[in-house]
Amino acid sequence: MVEQSDSFVPVPIAQTLPEGWAESEIVIIDLAPPKPADAPTGSKVTSDGEPDWWAKCSQGVVDPRPRVASGMRDDCDRIYRHGGAFIVFMAPELNQDLYLGSIDRYRRIHTRSEIRAHPWSFLTTLDNYLNVFPNTGEEIRFDPDMPGLESAIGNDLRGARYTCTLGMSYRPIEEVTAFALINKFDEAVALITNWEDSKGVIVLLPQVRDKTAAALSVVDKLIPGLVPDLFPDRAGASWLHQEPYEHPAILRLAAEVDGLRQELASKVKEIETRVGQIRTERGFLHDLMTESGDPLRQAVRRAFEYLGLARVVDVDAQGEDNEHGLMEDLRVEDRSPLLLVEVKGIFGKPTDEDALQVAKYLAPAMRRTGRTDVQGLTVINHERHRPAADRDHTGLFRPLVLENATRQGVGLLTTWDLFCLCRNIEEHAWRAESVLPVLYRIGRIEPVPEHYVDAGTIEKVWPDAEVIGLRIATPVSVGDRLAFRHGWRFHEAQVTSIHIDDSDVETAPVGSGAGVRLDDWRAAKADAGAFLVSE
């Protein structure tokens, strides 16, 4: 650490390299910077009048590692040329201004030339061919063009986090390198390469939790195949399994295995691409339950359009509120009544004002449009820090709020309800004419379509017998379809038999308590509602 200023300080060398390292055959380097020390470790290398390294203090920290790396370069280049291996845990460089300079007799610093060096400067090839871009993330996958790599070292790289991405300086990538790991944007976050026809190999890895285990795994499972001269005892007679010594039938089978791996990798990539497309197309469903403000408003608009509405006006985007003052968020013009929609995303439960704010816009809208068929809808994403299914949906609005909403012609809907409507359209292919009227109800709106008729309340469930006890509100007959809600989905099943007072009947009348058996059993909850599917 240094005082932040435009002045310069000398770059010291604190030599911590192990004795005899220059004769190593495998070099492991961790480029993650340590916590800055309060004061320099080491001292100025030359006398004041001789050229020395100087660093500008503009960032408040000086990194002496570029000087150490530059001093290592000749030895590292020699190791690399003679078939050595480098395992490097990557980290972005600290951009600092370094100069060669000296102090004159008046104690003034004269900088002579800029020094281009960074912690990656221990190998000439890295300086020549590699660009390092600061970037962070955790979504990492193995390059499908390198089959077998994941099975070799994948377990030791789980939980890795990249802090930079890689690019080439000027040579075409495919001529000099093979990427080992890529992020979700297909950017390289790890690299295996042997530039310049060197006998050695460079393995660049992201930051991992257990670097010792990862390095040992690379040394044990990866490098022997890349630099076999380093492991003559392990190589043994492995050449017998290569052309021209291996049996042709085995080589054909090995090629078939490689082909299957590539085919599988291609199919996986195709599926992942499709997953990404679906997430983009249906992303609004997740936004309904997590967002607030403009993103939530857009998610609600897209959900309405998905349900079948065609004329949903984004009032904020149209700028109408600039002309007419405070207005609703969305306006639905598909049918009568004209529907004004207020959208809110909150961490807790809605206040009375949150629930009924849209009612303030009804009268101005009537005056502005000349229409009397104007109705309000409040869509609320409440407790959005919690999983949507675990939120409080029953006691969300006070009884007085529900009474006022009904009197003022306002519907109250949660984004979870809207999500359920959208998902059940996908599940059951509900028709728009059965779903859209739900949005025009007033008071607390339940996401139950128009073609679901209240059939009664489930009073008891006998799972072993696959029978539900139903207090009948609408006559139910053998052959009818009933629906029950399970989380976001409705389960539909056909009635196969009805039992009342120890007798089988064809139809259960209103008010009766009936045991109902279904063709597709799924345990229902007691006190839950049952619905007769009318289409």
Side-chain angles (χ1 to χ4, degrees):
M1 300 295 295
V2 295
E3 184 177 351
Q4 194 171 26
S5 68
D6 292 331
S7 61
F8 291 84
V9 295
V11 179
I13 289 184
Q15 187 62 270
T16 58
L17 298 175
E19 184 177 353
W21 78 270
E23 293 184 342
S24 301
E25 294 171 319
I26 298 176
V27 181
I28 302 171
I29 296 177
D30 183 10
L31 291 177
K35 181 180 179 181
D38 294 332
T41 302
S43 57
K44 192 174 181 300
V45 176
T46 68
S47 60
D48 290 347
E50 294 298 316
D52 203 350
W53 286 48
W54 295 81
K56 198 171 186 179
C57 302
S58 54
Q59 298 191 57
V61 63
V62 171
D63 188 355
R65 295 178 304 157
R67 186 166 193 173
V68 177
S70 297
M72 296 170 57
R73 184 183 325 211
D74 289 344
D75 291 319
C76 288
D77 287 348
R78 183 177 59 182
I79 294 171
Y80 182 51
R81 286 195 306 270
H82 286 77
F86 286 82
I87 303 171
V88 182
F89 294 98
M90 302 183 297
E93 60 188 81
L94 173 66
N95 292 321
Q96 60 180 345
D97 296 327
L98 298 170
Y99 291 90
L100 190 66
S102 60
I103 301 177
D104 64 16
R105 59 180 179 174
Y106 300 107
R107 307 303 298 170
R108 292 177 301 190
I109 300 173
H110 293 277
T111 56
R112 301 183 181 181
S113 59
E114 184 178 1
I115 299 173
R116 297 181 178 271
H118 47 76
W120 295 71
S121 297
F122 54 88
L123 271 175
T124 301
T125 52
L126 295 181
D127 262 347
N128 286 347
Y129 301 127
L130 199 65
N131 284 329
V132 182
F133 306 101
N135 212 334
T136 59
E138 297 179 352
E139 292 192 37
I140 300 175
R141 56 191 175 92
F142 281 83
D143 190 332
D145 294 331
M146 300 187 69
L149 185 64
E150 183 172 10
S151 60
I153 62 173
N155 288 335
D156 296 294
L157 295 183
R158 300 198 187 282
R161 177 178 178 81
Y162 64 89
T163 57
C164 56
T165 55
L166 305 173
M168 302 302 297
S169 294
Y170 56 85
R171 279 199 183 183
I173 292 177
E174 59 270 15
E175 293 183 6
V176 297
T177 181
F179 290 141
L181 298 175
I182 51 181
N183 64 11
K184 64 184 294 184
F185 305 107
D186 293 331
E187 298 168 326
V189 297
L191 178 67
I192 300 174
T193 184
N194 57 345
W195 277 300
E196 299 179 329
D197 298 324
S198 169
K199 295 180 181 179
V201 66
I202 302 171
V203 180
L204 304 178
L205 299 174
Q207 293 292 313
V208 298
R209 295 171 183 166
D210 190 342
K211 294 173 184 174
T212 301
L216 288 175
S217 182
V218 170
V219 170
D220 182 52
K221 301 175 183 178
L222 188 61
I223 290 182
L226 300 172
V227 194
D229 290 347
L230 290 180
F231 300 86
D233 295 335
R234 288 185 59 176
S238 61
W239 52 270
L240 289 174
H241 303 300
Q242 305 170 4
E243 287 190 287
Y245 314 104
E246 184 60 277
H247 194 283
I250 294 178
L251 292 175
R252 285 194 296 270
L253 290 172
E256 186 177 342
V257 169
D258 288 340
L260 289 173
R261 284 175 176 156
Q262 293 178 13
E263 181 181 353
L264 179 60
S266 177
K267 289 184 177 179
V268 168
K269 188 171 184 179
E270 182 180 335
I271 292 173
E272 289 176 342
T273 300
R274 181 57 185 149
V275 167
Q277 292 173 346
I278 295 174
R279 280 188 174 148
T280 299
E281 295 168 1
R282 298 288 187 267
F284 69 90
L285 291 174
H286 288 172
D287 291 345
L288 284 176
M289 298 174 290
T290 59
E291 295 291 351
S292 63
D294 290 345
L296 179 60
R297 187 180 75 251
Q298 294 303 321
V300 172
R301 179 183 61 80
R302 291 188 61 188
F304 283 179
E305 292 171 348
Y306 183 73
L307 295 179
L309 294 170
R311 300 177 62 190
V312 183
V313 178
D314 186 336
V315 175
D316 288 354
Q318 296 289 339
E320 294 184 32
D321 49 350
N322 294 329
E323 180 181 355
H324 301 292
L326 194 62
M327 294 176 62
E328 66 277 3
D329 293 320
L330 302 172
R331 183 171 64 248
V332 181
E333 301 176 342
D334 282 60
R335 58 174 67 185
S336 178
L338 184 69
L339 191 63
L340 310 185
V341 184
E342 184 71 8
V343 180
K344 291 188 178 295
I346 55 179
F347 277 105
K349 294 183 179 180
T351 63
D352 296 357
E353 183 179 358
D354 290 332
L356 299 174
Q357 181 175 338
V358 71
K360 300 178 182 178
Y361 307 140
L362 300 182
M366 293 179 186
R367 291 193 299 269
R368 189 172 63 251
T369 62
R371 297 176 57 169
T372 57
D373 60 332
V374 180
Q375 187 172 306
L377 173 64
T378 299
V379 181
I380 291 186
N381 182 23
H382 69 292
E383 296 181 347
R384 60 190 185 92
H385 60 291
R386 301 178 60 193
D390 297 338
R391 300 172 188 177
D392 182 2
H393 299 286
T394 56
L396 188 58
F397 303 103
R398 296 193 307 126
L400 182 60
V401 171
L402 297 176
E403 180 183 337
N404 288 335
T406 302
R407 188 174 66 252
Q408 297 177 36
V410 172
L412 303 174
L413 186 72
T414 69
T415 55
W416 171 242
D417 299 328
L418 193 53
F419 172 88
C420 294
L421 285 172
C422 293
R423 289 297 299 272
N424 278 286
I425 283 182
E426 295 177 328
E427 183 87 358
H428 299 291
W430 288 346
R431 295 184 299 180
E433 54 264 34
S434 294
V435 176
L436 292 183
V438 174
L439 303 179
Y440 291 84
R441 296 171 185 166
I442 60 175
R444 180 68 173 97
I445 299 175
E446 296 293 337
V448 178
E450 289 286 286
H451 68 289
Y452 278 15
V453 179
D454 181 18
T457 303
I458 299 173
E459 294 184 329
K460 196 170 183 180
V461 178
W462 292 274
D464 293 339
E466 297 186 351
V467 171
I468 61 170
L470 188 62
R471 181 61 60 182
I472 303 297
T474 298
V476 175
S477 301
V478 174
D480 287 342
R481 289 188 68 79
L482 293 180
F484 314 92
R485 188 171 179 181
H486 290 267
W488 64 263
R489 63 163 53 91
F490 282 92
H491 175 62
E492 295 184 3
Q494 189 174 32
V495 177
T496 58
S497 65
I498 302 175
H499 197 73
I500 299 178
D501 295 333
D502 299 327
S503 300
D504 290 332
V505 299
E506 286 295 314
T507 300
V510 174
S512 63
V516 178
R517 180 174 280 112
L518 306 169
D519 65 343
D520 184 10
W521 171 257
R522 189 171 298 178
K525 292 183 178 180
D527 297 327
F531 302 92
L532 183 66
V533 182
S534 63
E535 63 175 33

